[in-house]
Amino acid sequence: MIGRIAGAVLLAGFCPAAQAQIHSIDQTARFSLKPPVRMTLLRPDDRAAARPAGLDLRQTPPPREEAAVDVRVVRQTLQFSQQRASGTLAIGPIAPHLSRTRVRTIEVEGLLPIDKRARLRLGWSGAKYSNRNANVTAAYSNANLRAKDWFQPHAALLWSARADLELQAGYDEALLGYADVGMSGPLALTREDFRRVQSMLRPERHRRMRVGANWTAAPGTSIGIDLYGGRLDDRLSFGAGGALPVNHGSADVQGGVISASRQLGPTIRCALRYALTRVDRLGGGAAQEAQLAAEGQWQAGPWRASLHAARSSAPALLTGPDADDRALRLSAAIAYQPPRAPGMTLALRLADPDRLASSSFMGEGAPLGVRAQDQARSLLLSAKLAL
């Protein structure tokens, strides 16, 4: 059983007579099957809380000689309700059981050792996003925004050519749906406008192939290169101050990333990364995206911290009022695990994500889908407790 306590600055819609409240329910189960077949409950991975999404420092793979099947099932609900100042429910179309975002995801992955040098990762993931009562002003019987795909395959072949050189090739698919009604409240649209939103808000899809190599040049120093290509369909992004994503079209994407990381002493690790991507819009036209990023990580006892700086070109698929011309972005995080409470993590995180098509294409799909707060600068204070 996994319990979580999350604290964040979340308050919307103040007025003299009523206030809006957001309720979050998170139910996650993860287990691993290994020969002889057995089931073991695992804690959720809290390493991501220590630093913002950034460089992949190529974590140590699991033991090659042991086959395993990992299963992760997530069910998350974000519920929006409105109450009077006295605490009674407000009378009106917004009811606590009506405005709700529900996300269900499942991930299954198997590790199959081929020989002492090669291993195969094979699996699939599925997701369903449901925004109930997304519209509150039109008497429309199907006032929901839904997206689902229960079969998104992925596979990767990893081969240790030498003790200091690992090669990999893989294919994966991902789907990201609109999942923000539970955070910003239901939409207020006419029936015709809501139907247009339904037809426009197709889920964002990624289909990607990539090959890469990671070379350990010296103890504590590694150099990696990745080449990738594929299709990005229906790129979803939020405009300035908007709570509804806009479909910015589809494109063929090809590019590469070169990275280097170095361990500086027992507590500090730094990394440098350069990415160059060509984005060919299906509607015509092409553009390039480039990004140079540097990151430092520090860990000492119960403390962990990171600092990430990136200089990026303009997003290829964003034009007009949605264009983002800030080239330099800074993000940081710090986390603390009390020695007397090993299951607790306190974290403070400053996020400043870019809106490049290549970043969305190379990143992993988040369980909560596409949300406005994930594409904006934000400061988050959180506390997690794993039992």
Side-chain angles (χ1 to χ4, degrees):
M1 185 67 182
I2 299 175
R4 290 185 179 180
I5 302 175
V9 181
L10 294 172
L11 200 58
F14 272 114
C15 63
Q19 68 179 25
Q21 294 185 354
I22 297 171
H23 312 277
S24 177
I25 302 173
D26 190 345
Q27 298 168 312
T28 301
R30 179 179 177 181
F31 57 89
S32 178
L33 302 176
K34 300 179 180 179
V37 177
R38 58 189 176 91
M39 181 180 296
T40 305
L41 289 177
L42 303 176
R43 287 181 180 177
D45 191 350
D46 289 328
R47 288 174 294 183
R51 62 182 178 92
L55 306 183
D56 180 8
L57 298 183
R58 300 188 181 262
Q59 300 166 358
T60 303
R64 300 173 186 166
E65 69 277 0
E66 185 177 351
V69 176
D70 293 324
V71 180
R72 182 171 182 263
V73 181
V74 179
R75 183 178 184 269
Q76 293 170 314
T77 301
L78 294 174
Q79 184 170 283
F80 183 95
S81 64
Q82 185 171 339
Q83 294 185 342
R84 295 185 181 275
S86 60
T88 59
L89 289 177
I91 300 176
I94 304 178
H97 65 283
L98 292 179
S99 298
R100 183 173 61 197
T101 290
R102 180 168 290 171
V103 181
R104 299 180 180 92
T105 65
I106 182 171
E107 301 172 6
V108 179
E109 183 178 83
L111 172 64
L112 177 63
I114 299 177
D115 55 31
K116 293 183 178 180
R117 290 189 172 185
R119 57 195 183 279
L120 177 66
R121 286 188 174 276
L122 185 66
W124 56 273
S125 60
K128 179 181 180 180
Y129 306 93
S130 176
N131 296 282
R132 183 178 178 183
N133 198 42
N135 193 22
V136 298
T137 58
Y140 188 36
S141 60
N142 189 25
N144 294 327
L145 295 174
R146 294 191 181 97
K148 67 177 180 179
D149 187 348
W150 290 113
F151 185 68
Q152 304 163 50
H154 61 271
L157 178 64
L158 300 96
W159 178 47
S160 298
R162 300 190 320 227
D164 60 349
L165 179 63
E166 184 172 81
L167 307 177
Q168 58 180 319
Y171 172 82
D172 61 87
E173 297 182 5
L175 173 140
L176 294 175
Y178 171 63
D180 219 8
V181 170
M183 298 296 290
S184 58
L187 307 177
L189 303 171
T190 65
R191 179 180 301 181
E192 292 73 17
D193 289 340
F194 183 76
R195 284 176 173 171
R196 281 193 290 269
V197 169
Q198 279 186 312
S199 62
M200 180 273 296
L201 275 185
R202 294 185 294 271
E204 180 176 324
R205 294 178 180 271
H206 307 159
R207 297 176 178 87
R208 174 181 56 185
M209 294 186 65
R210 56 181 171 178
V211 295
N214 187 45
W215 174 44
T216 304
T221 302
S222 63
I223 299 175
I225 183 170
D226 288 282
L227 302 176
Y228 56 86
R231 173 69 63 85
L232 170 61
D233 289 322
D234 299 312
R235 172 72 167 118
L236 296 180
S237 183
F238 293 86
L244 189 66
V246 177
N247 190 328
H248 290 278
S250 306
D252 290 323
V253 181
Q254 301 88 30
V257 181
I258 183 169
S259 61
S261 64
R262 172 69 177 174
Q263 186 73 38
L264 303 176
T267 61
I268 299 177
R269 187 175 185 87
C270 61
L272 188 67
R273 171 179 177 268
Y274 177 73
L276 181 64
T277 306
R278 177 182 173 87
V279 181
D280 294 308
R281 306 182 189 93
L282 296 190
Q288 281 191 344
E289 293 181 340
Q291 184 179 82
L292 178 63
E295 184 177 67
Q297 297 181 6
W298 171 78
Q299 181 172 356
W303 291 93
R304 294 174 293 170
S306 67
L307 178 64
H308 177 85
R311 185 173 183 84
S312 307
S313 63
L317 295 181
L318 272 64
T319 58
D322 292 333
D324 192 344
D325 56 359
R326 283 195 307 116
L328 182 62
R329 298 174 182 273
L330 296 174
S331 55
I334 185 169
Y336 175 71
Q337 289 182 320
R340 296 184 179 180
M344 176 179 290
T345 302
L346 306 175
L348 181 66
R349 178 172 179 257
L350 173 65
D352 190 10
D354 64 63
R355 302 172 70 191
L356 301 178
S358 53
S359 296
S360 171
F361 185 75
M362 291 185 294
E364 302 297 332
L368 278 179
V370 179
R371 304 181 303 171
Q373 62 269 27
D374 294 331
Q375 297 187 14
R377 282 182 290 179
S378 60
L379 181 64
L380 175 67
L381 174 64
S382 64
K384 294 184 179 180
L385 178 61
L387 301 178

